[in-house]
Amino acid sequence: MPGMDFVLRTTPQETADIADARIGDLAHHLARHLRDDGAPAPAEDPAYALTVLHVLDQLQRATERLQRQAATDAARAGAGYPQIGAACDMTRQGARRRWPGLFHHSNERPTEHPTMTTPTRPFDVLLVEDDVADAMLIEEALSERGARNLVQVTDGVAALEHLRDPDAARPDLIVLDLNMPRMNGHELLKILKADEELQAIPVVVLTTSTAPDDVTGAYTSHANAYVNKPVNLAEFELAVQSIDAFYLDTATRARP
């Protein structure tokens, strides 16, 4: 995202050397502190070397906990997995594998999670998608577009429960998969477009199906758009961001 690059005055190797030196100093300081007398130990003392090893193990565990918290803080501030991965010299996919679930999803009930804070009202998006991996990719792509309150549900029944909840925000956009348990996307779409309270909400079908019957059926049920999920990761993210850009930034939405 613009403005999220960070600049270091050191090379990666220089940063590593500085970190090693500081962590080494800290480990020895803590090892001496943990000894009964607190005095420096002889270089050949195995007990002291084991104490240093114990301290380093605890520091590694602490670092992992703090890294997870820092990654969570970065996600809440609006960073996506690409920026979080770059901060740790790893790929977007590597960051996602290391810290899964920074963008929360639930199979139990829909949950709202604002991906970043802005002075204006964030857009509300209802994602009806039962594939956890695809849901994570969609949320990440949306988070890079700006402030989005994403609610994810895993089937049409849960989607209707959310949409008819008087305390839930009315979504600005519904992104709908077709193949889901209990109530599939075709069934849900027909109900949405026949409901006077819900029919004006834009619905974009985002699915792996390229079957002509699925495409025709979706448009016959008045889907606003039908988009195939690309296999390529970059193309998948671009497709989601294109949907977001048109329906949330370009198109004029009906007022509730």
Side-chain angles (χ1 to χ4, degrees):
M1 294 179 68
M4 286 203 178
D5 294 336
F6 61 96
V7 179
L8 298 176
R9 63 179 178 80
T10 59
T11 66
Q13 184 57 54
E14 290 171 337
T15 302
D17 291 341
I18 293 170
D20 286 351
R22 297 296 184 268
I23 293 298
D25 291 343
L26 177 59
H28 285 283
H29 173 77
L30 292 175
R32 290 192 294 270
H33 178 74
L34 294 174
R35 286 172 59 85
D36 292 336
D37 54 10
E44 302 299 325
D45 182 355
Y48 178 73
L50 290 172
T51 301
V52 172
L53 180 61
H54 169 73
V55 168
L56 286 170
D57 177 68
Q58 295 302 313
L59 288 174
Q60 182 179 19
R61 294 168 187 258
T63 298
E64 290 172 355
R65 291 191 295 271
L66 292 171
Q67 279 188 316
R68 170 75 192 199
Q69 184 58 56
T72 300
D73 291 343
R76 287 174 177 169
Y81 276 116
Q83 293 78 30
I84 293 170
C88 300
D89 195 26
M90 64 176 65
T91 64
R92 167 183 50 213
Q93 293 88 342
R96 186 183 294 113
R97 285 193 297 269
R98 186 169 182 178
W99 299 294
L102 291 182
F103 304 96
H104 179 66
H105 298 279
S106 172
N107 292 329
E108 301 291 329
R109 54 186 295 185
T111 55
E112 291 189 357
H113 176 70
T115 55
M116 62 186 294
T117 302
T118 64
T120 58
R121 181 185 73 82
F123 289 118
D124 293 290
V125 179
L126 176 61
L127 172 62
V128 191
E129 170 65 72
D130 66 331
D131 187 294
V132 175
D134 283 353
M136 289 181 67
L137 289 173
I138 292 167
E139 181 167 12
E140 180 183 336
L142 289 176
S143 73
E144 295 184 19
R145 288 280 307 151
R148 304 290 183 263
N149 288 336
L150 181 71
V151 175
Q152 184 222 341
V153 295
T154 56
D155 58 54
V157 173
L160 286 176
E161 289 174 352
H162 174 73
L163 288 165
R164 290 171 175 166
D165 181 352
D167 296 324
R170 178 61 55 90
D172 299 289
L173 174 67
I174 297 173
V175 179
L176 176 64
D177 190 21
L178 289 182
N179 300 313
M180 296 176 295
R182 296 205 296 177
M183 180 188 292
N184 64 35
H186 285 298
E187 295 167 329
L188 176 60
L189 184 59
K190 290 177 181 178
I191 293 173
L192 293 178
K193 294 304 182 180
D195 188 318
E196 292 183 359
E197 296 294 321
L198 303 174
Q199 62 188 203
I201 303 172
V203 179
V204 176
V205 173
L206 180 62
T207 181
T208 56
S209 174
T210 58
D213 287 348
D214 281 337
V215 178
T216 301
Y219 282 120
T220 300
S221 297
H222 306 292
N224 295 84
Y226 191 103
V227 179
N228 295 121
K229 292 178 181 177
V231 176
N232 178 275
L233 180 61
E235 292 177 359
F236 187 104
E237 292 182 344
L238 180 60
V240 173
Q241 291 172 355
S242 296
I243 293 169
D244 181 282
F246 179 76
Y247 283 98
L248 299 183
D249 287 347
T250 304
T252 300
R253 294 176 299 282
R255 295 187 180 274

